[in-house]
Amino acid sequence: MLRSLAALMVVLTPQATVAQTTGPSDPPAGLTWMVLNEINGDYFNRAEPMNHPPFVTDVPAGMISAVDVSHDGKADWLVDYSKGGRSSWCGTGGCLATLYVSDGDDYVMALDHQILEFDLQPDGLEVQVHHGDCVPDSNDCRYAFAWDADLRRLVERPTAAGSTLLAPGLTPVRAWLETPDIREDVPAEVASAWRVSRVTCPSMADAGFESRWGALRDTPDLNGDSRRDWVLDLPYPCDDQDGEPRSAPGFEVYLTSGEDAVEHAFRSQPEHWAAIDLSTTPATLIDNPPCGYVTPCSDRRLRWNGDTFVDD
């Protein structure tokens, strides 16, 4: 889990408000091993294994904290990488924070995101992230989540300030979006669409090829069946002969209805991006045009009428 942002010279430390538990003071051994492995591995160079700083044998104070998110009587665990003493975990968007929530005898990675500020509260979690993750762009970009024990994940909710807009690509756990792997809970039809959308292009760096994957994310319910739905941001096509990027192809929406049924419900125009508004139930789909999210850019607010998305 190495994240290379070493070129950034300034380490931004999140300001944290953490709801502590009365649970155990010692984190699980596997979590301690992971953190120490990441700290010591951050400067590891296989070509020069003898050239390294002193090995760290104790987790830095405050880097792993017991918190209470699931309210099941068992400690949850927050890893605050701003306390790890490595610039590679921090950047202009703050520092990495990873949250493991208890789930019976196991734990679920519920948050794994670079953040500027986080606040774990009795009824949920609110984080401040990079301004580019908000619609419209905001220097005080915040998202709020609550733990859903049935879904075994954090689910979106309005922030304390009343913000209900979810930006494209924003998800509590980013790792699975950045690799060709896919979660087991993705419906087969949606997973197939994600794989088929892959674009293979000549590599500009060498004589090989590169694969471009779309960004797949589940969203709050859009069609009123109380189940989460899916947005696929399609990957960019190959660059033109001069190496210039081509237009983004847009996004697709897949709606779930029942245990296995999935419906391809919407395909946007090129250079359009999806956002979700939580202020309605079911949530509202926003089809955002190329002008972006700034006023007076006109987007389309869409609701599901049982057969198709119509203007709201």
Side-chain angles (χ1 to χ4, degrees):
M1 195 189 292
L2 299 180
R3 294 160 175 85
S4 180
L5 293 172
L8 295 169
M9 301 303 294
V10 179
V11 175
L12 302 180
T13 302
Q15 300 175 359
T17 303
V18 179
Q20 299 289 341
T21 72
T22 58
S25 58
D26 295 329
L31 191 57
T32 299
W33 179 92
M34 181 194 77
V35 169
L36 291 175
N37 182 60
E38 290 185 325
I39 292 174
N40 289 304
D42 193 46
Y43 290 140
F44 176 72
N45 184 341
R46 190 173 181 82
E48 299 179 294
M50 284 68 72
N51 183 14
H52 60 78
F55 287 109
V56 176
T57 57
D58 296 310
V59 175
M63 191 172 179
I64 302 178
S65 300
V67 297
D68 188 10
V69 174
S70 57
H71 307 299
D72 62 355
K74 187 175 181 181
D76 309 310
W77 296 96
L78 176 69
V79 183
D80 178 1
Y81 284 82
S82 70
K83 305 294 196 302
R86 298 290 189 270
S87 62
S88 59
W89 294 318
C90 301
T92 55
C95 294
L96 181 67
T98 307
L99 173 68
Y100 296 90
V101 175
S102 59
D103 180 50
D105 294 331
D106 202 357
Y107 287 89
V108 175
M109 179 192 281
L111 174 74
D112 189 44
H113 205 288
Q114 198 175 41
I115 64 172
L116 290 163
E117 181 180 329
F118 51 83
D119 184 4
L120 285 168
Q121 302 167 339
D123 58 348
L125 162 72
E126 185 162 315
V127 297
Q128 180 186 8
V129 295
H130 190 274
H131 62 86
D133 279 334
C134 264
V135 290
D137 192 308
S138 170
N139 286 329
D140 188 23
C141 180
R142 294 177 183 271
Y143 289 95
F145 305 94
W147 179 251
D148 188 309
D150 293 331
L151 294 178
R152 302 174 64 245
R153 58 164 292 155
L154 294 172
V155 295
E156 307 87 347
R157 66 174 190 174
T159 67
S163 175
T164 59
L165 288 178
L166 305 179
L170 196 284
T171 180
V173 180
R174 277 187 151 175
W176 69 276
L177 288 173
E178 298 171 350
T179 71
D181 298 325
I182 199 163
R183 291 186 342 208
E184 294 181 355
D185 64 332
V186 179
E189 182 176 337
V190 179
S192 176
W194 177 78
R195 293 188 179 97
V196 170
S197 72
R198 182 187 65 175
V199 176
T200 301
C201 303
S203 173
M204 302 301 292
D206 52 43
F209 295 87
E210 64 174 353
S211 291
R212 299 181 179 183
W213 296 87
L216 179 64
R217 55 194 167 109
D218 59 327
T219 74
D221 175 32
L222 294 169
N223 63 344
D225 68 347
S226 301
R227 297 172 62 86
R228 295 182 70 85
D229 299 306
W230 300 87
V231 169
L232 171 60
D233 295 317
L234 296 166
Y236 275 83
C238 300
D239 300 340
D240 65 22
Q241 293 182 349
D242 297 325
E244 294 297 322
R246 300 182 189 271
S247 296
F251 67 90
E252 296 180 339
V253 177
Y254 293 82
L255 300 178
T256 58
S257 55
E259 290 296 326
D260 301 313
V262 177
E263 178 179 1
H264 180 263
F266 187 79
R267 172 70 184 264
S268 78
Q269 296 296 316
E271 293 288 325
H272 282 221
W273 308 96
I276 307 295
D277 190 345
L278 296 172
S279 63
T280 62
T281 303
T284 300
L285 173 66
I286 299 177
D287 178 21
N288 194 260
C291 57
Y293 293 99
V294 296
T295 304
C297 182
S298 177
D299 54 32
R300 293 180 65 200
R301 297 177 62 86
L302 302 171
R303 60 179 175 82
W304 184 251
N305 70 356
D307 295 308
T308 187
F309 280 103
V310 297
D311 291 305
D312 190 9

